[in-house]
Structures are given as structure tokens and as C-alpha cells.
Amino acid sequence: MCAPQIIRQLGDIDETGRGRRAFLRAAGAAAAVAVAAPAVTARAEPGGVLDLTHVLSPQTPVWPGNPPFTAVPVAWEAVGGFAQNALALWEHTGTHVDAPAHRRGSATTDLLPAQDLVAPLVVIDIRDRAGTDPDAGVTVADLTEWEKRHGRIPDRAFVAMYSGWEQRLAVPGAFVNLDGHGIPHGPGFTAEAAEFLVSRREIVGAGVDTLSLDRAADRDYGAHTAFLGAGRYGVEMLANLGAAPPVGATVVVGAPKHIGGTGGPCRVLALT
């Protein structure tokens, strides 16, 4: 909603009359001191809305080699009547969707069926194991044990791994967790569990509170291949799963809808 002449003016001046470069230096300094706080883990009350989305900022951890999220002010209300930022990010940044086209599937973000983005939420809790083993994975045994306690995984469910990994956000570098060879380590789904969910259960998608549907050190990417190759979508870097019930909530995935997208940041809510 900004006329071209307003944007041209902003190359030289900000809303205070100072140079734009000075404004951006101040904005960058403010971002540099921001610290990601651990998410809330108290169980959500029935009838509430739980946000499963991390705040997206320049400090958001990204997969090794990916650039960080950047927001650059390009218009100010005081100058032209409307404020606006230019955003720069790779699709798979922050809490985001993996469309099937990301690996072995054909559906892009604009082709994800709307009915698949609202689903029963199933939370598989492996935080005890992940607390001592950064390469822990959701196994078929974890899924069958969950079903012994809560009943069969509902048809058209969204199945999420809760590893407690978000608590590492308070320590720089701990979330990506690179080893001495530059390889990341973090929990995810095993290929066998992913295959079970797409072939033996009728799920619409799967999610994790880490950077990858797979265990981060797994270079076969079996979970990605099983989920996305079967036409299901994934959501990575979910927040606050510790506050969600293991069963009974409904997840709403506000997926992006840009043409040809392999994924994109999303707002994810749990209706408890």
C-alpha cells in the first residue's frame, strides 16, 4: 500500500528525518541483543487456543548453510501514511510447512488441500529419551505404546513429536547442536515410524519441535521421503507442544499459499 515515490524517498530518510542507513544500524543492534526465551510448557486449559508457533526473528535457528531471516523497514507511517517491511528468508525457516514437493512428492504449497490443514492433533512425547540422546527418534514402538494408552491414532490426524528441544533455544548453538564435524544432531521420526504412519494409519501430516522431520544426523532422510513422498505434509520447529494434550486437541495449520512453493513459514494453532 505504498506508492513508488514514497519507497524512493525512504532510500534517503526515515520517520525521524535521519538517514535510512542509521535507522537500519539501530534496528540491527536491537535484533542482535534479542534472546529466544523457552516456550511455555504448562498444560493448556480445555477450550483454549494454544500457539504452536515460534516468533520468527534474525536469531531463529536455521538449518546449517541457510541464511537467517531478515526484515528491513522500507516504509514508515510518518513519511507516507503506511509502515511496511521487506522480508528476506528461505522457505524452510522458523515454524514452517514442508510441502510434498520438498522431497519426492508433487504437491506444492498452493495445492495443499485446505481440509488437511485442520486435523486431530496427536502428540508423541519422547522428551525423556531425547534429554539424554540427541539422536533419539520416534519409533513404531512409541506409536503402538501411545495407542495402548489413548486408543488408535484417529483417521486424518496430524502426528507431532514432542522432544522438549525448544528448551535449548536459551543456549546459543544448542538447538542446531553441531558436532565437531559440523553435523547437526536432534531428534526426529525414524523412517520406520514414518512409513507406519502413512501406510498403516490415515494421517494428513506430521510435525516436530526440531529442525527436521528426520533425526538431524540422518542423511538418508527416510522420514522426509516416507511422509512427503506419500503426499503428506510436514511442519518443523513447532513450539509449546508440552502444553498440548496427547490427544483431543485440533490443530490448525495456517500454511502459506504461494505458487510452486516447497514450503514456507506458517502460524500453527491448537484448539484445546
Side-chain angles (χ1 to χ4, degrees), residues 70-91:
T70 303
V72 178
V74 295
W76 293 265
E77 183 179 0
V79 175
F82 296 95
Q84 184 169 197
N85 295 321
L87 306 181
L89 73 162
W90 284 21
E91 289 175 316

Side-chain angles (χ1 to χ4, degrees), residues 17-240:
R18 297 176 299 172
R20 182 167 177 263
R21 290 183 181 177
F23 181 86
L24 294 179
R25 282 197 299 270
V33 299
V35 177
V40 176
T41 56
R43 182 58 55 85
E45 294 294 329
V49 178
L50 177 64
D51 197 343
L52 301 182
T53 317
H54 285 287
V55 174
L56 187 56
S57 80
Q59 283 68 49
T60 299
V62 295
W63 191 257
N66 289 7
F69 166 82
T70 303
V72 178
V74 295
W76 293 265
E77 183 179 0
V79 175
F82 296 95
Q84 184 169 197
N85 295 321
L87 306 181
L89 73 162
W90 284 21
E91 289 175 316
H92 300 266
T93 302
T95 303
H96 67 273
V97 165
D98 278 7
H102 187 44
R103 182 171 176 86
R104 305 286 175 86
S106 59
T108 50
T109 53
D110 50 310
L111 299 178
L112 292 176
Q115 61 267 28
D116 289 354
L117 303 177
V118 181
L121 175 62
V122 166
V123 179
I124 309 296
D125 187 343
I126 67 163
R127 57 183 156 163
D128 288 345
R129 199 160 72 245
T132 58
D133 179 9
D135 295 314
V138 175
T139 64
V140 174
D142 292 321
L143 300 176
T144 55
E145 178 61 29
W146 187 96
E147 290 191 326
K148 288 178 183 178
R149 298 182 180 184
H150 306 290
R152 185 182 173 92
I153 292 171
D155 288 346
R156 302 190 61 77
F158 177 87
V159 179
M161 174 197 76
Y162 172 50
S163 69
W165 208 247
E166 64 197 1
Q167 299 302 319
R168 289 173 166 255
L169 288 170
V171 180
F175 195 88
V176 179
N177 196 32
L178 297 177
D179 65 19
H181 301 286
I183 297 172
H185 292 265
F189 283 90
T190 63
E192 295 77 14
E195 183 60 35
F196 176 89
L197 287 170
V198 300
S199 64
R200 305 283 297 277
R201 299 294 182 266
E202 295 294 327
I203 69 166
V204 296
V208 292
D209 57 356
T210 58
L211 288 177
S212 176
L213 293 171
D214 286 280
R215 292 171 289 183
D218 185 354
R219 288 301 182 265
D220 291 331
Y221 306 113
H224 273 90
T225 301
F227 287 133
L228 306 184
R232 276 62 165 190
Y233 67 89
V235 179
E236 294 168 332
M237 204 174 172
L238 288 163
N240 294 330

Side-chain angles (χ1 to χ4, degrees), residues 236-270:
E236 294 168 332
M237 204 174 172
L238 288 163
N240 294 330
L241 284 171
V247 66
T250 298
V251 70
V252 180
V253 181
K257 198 177 180 181
H258 55 292
I259 190 166
T262 71
C266 59
R267 188 74 178 263
V268 185
L269 306 174

